[in-house]
Structure formats: structure tokens, C-alpha cells
Amino acid sequence: MESQKNIAANYSVAIEVAKPIKNVFNAITHDVAKWWPEDFEGESAKLNDEFVFKSGDSHYSKNKVVEFVPNAKVVWLVTDSIRKTDNFDWTGTKFIFELSPKGGNTLLNFTYDGFILENEYDRLAAICDLVIKEMLYNFITDGKVK
């Protein structure tokens, strides 16, 4: 089996939700475990908070909040990672959440800025779309976020 190489990748997806910015920002920073598809341990509610995402024993990433502008922007930096099935490491990747008002709604732009295996761009897009357009959107709009 030929070894894949890591390449830089950038993918953005946006959603508009009929909730105030404060509520959307709080869902992103305080309720991660309720909408992120992996197990979540730690805190992500202020600058320098650290947390871990895990999927069983095969997927792990340690993350840190490196930028925090209340009700406007939060950036998570992957500080350590491994996907044991193929030894993929995406350390250094940033997950960027930017919020802005749009009428009475909130526009959320999410950007994955980091690394993928060279053949995984379509997979990256599908995962980002699932997490933001479905999981986060549904969590925010299903009545649990006031």
C-alpha cells in the first residue's frame, strides 16, 4: 500500500440561523458535546481552554481555543492528533467559527484550515457539511438553543 501524504486544505461552509448571535455563539462554545459527532472532554468556552475529541481508540485530537472574540469569532487549534487506522496527523489545523448578523438572523461561517491526506478533500467537505449544516444547525434550530 502506497503511503499518502498530507496536503494543506481549506474548506468553508456557512449556515444562517434564526437565532441571536449570542445564542449561536454559546452553542458553539458551551454545548460542543451536544452537537459534535465525537466524544468531547474538556472546556471550549474561553481563550486558552483545552479539550479533546475522541472516537474510540482509533481517532484522537487535542485542541486549544487560540482566538476568542465574544459573539463574533472562536478559533480552535489542533495541538496533537492521530488517526490510528492510517497514522494521519492533522496537528496545526484550525477550526474557525465566525458569526455576523444578517437581518434578525445569525450567519455562521465555519472554515477548516489545515491538513488532509491528499485524496480526502471530498471526505473533508462531506464531514464539514454534516457537522455544520446538519448537526450544529439542527441543534441550534430544534428548540434546545434559546
Side-chain angles (χ1 to χ4, degrees):
M1 184 166 131
E2 209 173 295
S3 180
Q4 297 275 338
K5 69 176 186 173
N6 287 7
I7 61 168
N10 188 293
Y11 182 79
S12 293
V13 59
I15 57 173
E16 182 177 338
V17 291
K19 298 283 181 179
I21 284 181
K22 180 180 179 180
N23 301 61
V24 176
F25 191 80
N26 286 340
I28 294 165
T29 58
H30 290 84
D31 295 323
V32 180
K34 296 177 181 173
W35 56 269
W36 195 265
E38 300 164 309
D39 293 335
F40 173 84
E41 298 171 4
E43 298 291 327
S44 64
K46 65 184 185 307
L47 189 63
N48 296 318
D49 273 357
E50 293 184 325
F51 56 96
V52 172
F53 290 129
K54 290 193 306 187
S55 292
D57 293 333
S58 66
H59 181 102
Y60 161 91
S61 70
K62 184 175 180 183
N63 306 273
K64 183 175 184 174
V65 178
V66 296
E67 190 172 344
F68 191 91
V69 180
N71 302 321
K73 186 176 184 179
V74 64
V75 178
W76 302 340
L77 174 67
V78 178
T79 59
D80 187 33
S81 66
I82 191 68
R83 186 169 65 198
K84 292 181 181 176
T85 55
D86 54 12
N87 292 318
F88 173 58
D89 179 354
W90 60 102
T91 300
T93 294
K94 290 182 179 179
F95 297 88
I96 304 162
F97 299 85
E98 296 174 289
L99 292 87
S100 58
K102 186 170 181 187
N105 295 340
T106 298
L107 183 62
L108 165 65
N109 189 60
F110 170 80
T111 301
Y112 177 103
D113 183 11
F115 305 96
I116 60 172
L117 290 178
E118 60 187 338
N119 67 337
E120 290 193 337
Y121 190 82
D122 289 344
R123 181 177 185 215
L124 168 67
I127 290 170
C128 290
D129 288 355
L130 170 71
V131 172
I132 302 303
K133 288 182 174 179
E134 293 182 36
M135 298 179 83
L136 178 58
Y137 180 85
N138 290 340
F139 174 71
I140 292 170
T141 60
D142 73 0
K144 293 179 184 174
V145 174
K146 302 292 180 200

